[in-house]
Amino acid sequence: MRVAGCIFDLDGVLVDTARYHFLAWKRLADKLGIGFTEEDNERLKGVSRIDSLEIILQIGKLNIDKELKLEYATLKNNWYVEYISRMTPAEILPGSLEFIKELRAVGLPLGIGSASKNTPAILERIGISNLFDAVADGNLVSTAKPDPGVFLKAAELLGVNAADCVVFEDAIAGVKAALNAGMMCIGVGEAKVLSDAHFVVRGLNEMSLERLRIFEKEVRL
Ligand code: G6P
Ligand code: MG
């Protein structure tokens, strides 16, 4: 395979927003009297807003109607938006900018594939919107990872065949989505957690164009 397009998940790959999601969910869980830990929060990575709420309600064994669920999801999002509105470019994860700039220098099309409806706000806030040729996010695609929809949309917007794309993902559901899209997947995080990915790095600071070229030679899709 020869990589012709790169697609990045946002939360947990380019920027550490997981702690803001945690703080906002924790605030809601506290309000509802549900015990919610950082370990529980792992299960929410890559999962849509409403499905995340379902998991928390399940933990608390709480049954509520649809209307109230929407109300709680909105409440959580308002808190989350408040937290991310104070983010700075210093919160971009180490190595991300350097790697992206290296890819751009050789003209590789770059896209975002994220479930988050807050994607445009985060990209603006940390000042990296202009580095991407396409953004496929939760505003554009409603199916949730592990459905491949968001990555297929990103490839389509980039004008690159799915089989020629590589995805960078930190969530188990996201790795599955990339594989379901027929794409090469590089996990960003712990190898034992992301064992389905073709390769795993601990962060984008371990990536380079040279390493990508080595990976693409080894991968069998
Ligand atoms: C990403 C995050 C999830 C989050 C989802 C939806 O996948 O990893 O934790 O729930 O986006 O984000 P949103 O900003 O739309 O609530
Ligand atoms: Mg993620």
Side-chain angles (χ1 to χ4, degrees), residues 1 7 145-152 162-163 165-169 171-187 193-200 219-221:
M1 160 198 201
I7 303 172
K145 299 170 185 178
D147 183 281
V150 79
F151 292 138
L152 292 174
C165 288
V166 60
V167 167
F168 294 89
E169 251 298 344
I172 298 169
V175 169
K176 289 196 173 120
L179 301 184
N180 287 338
M183 298 174 178
M184 169 174 162
C185 184
I186 299 180
V193 177
L194 304 174
S195 54
D196 286 342
H198 292 107
F199 305 96
V200 180
V219 78
R220 291 282 163 270
L221 292 184

Side-chain angles (χ1 to χ4, degrees), residues 1-7 106-112 133-134 148-167 181-184 212-213 216 221:
M1 160 198 201
R2 178 92 181 158
V3 169
C6 301
I7 303 172
V106 294
L108 272 170
L110 307 183
I112 296 280
D133 306 290
V150 79
F151 292 138
L152 292 174
K153 189 69 191 175
E156 183 195 320
L157 293 173
L158 290 175
V160 178
N161 285 332
D164 299 329
C165 288
V166 60
V167 167
M183 298 174 178
M184 169 174 162
L212 183 63
R213 293 304 180 205
E216 72 184 5
L221 292 184

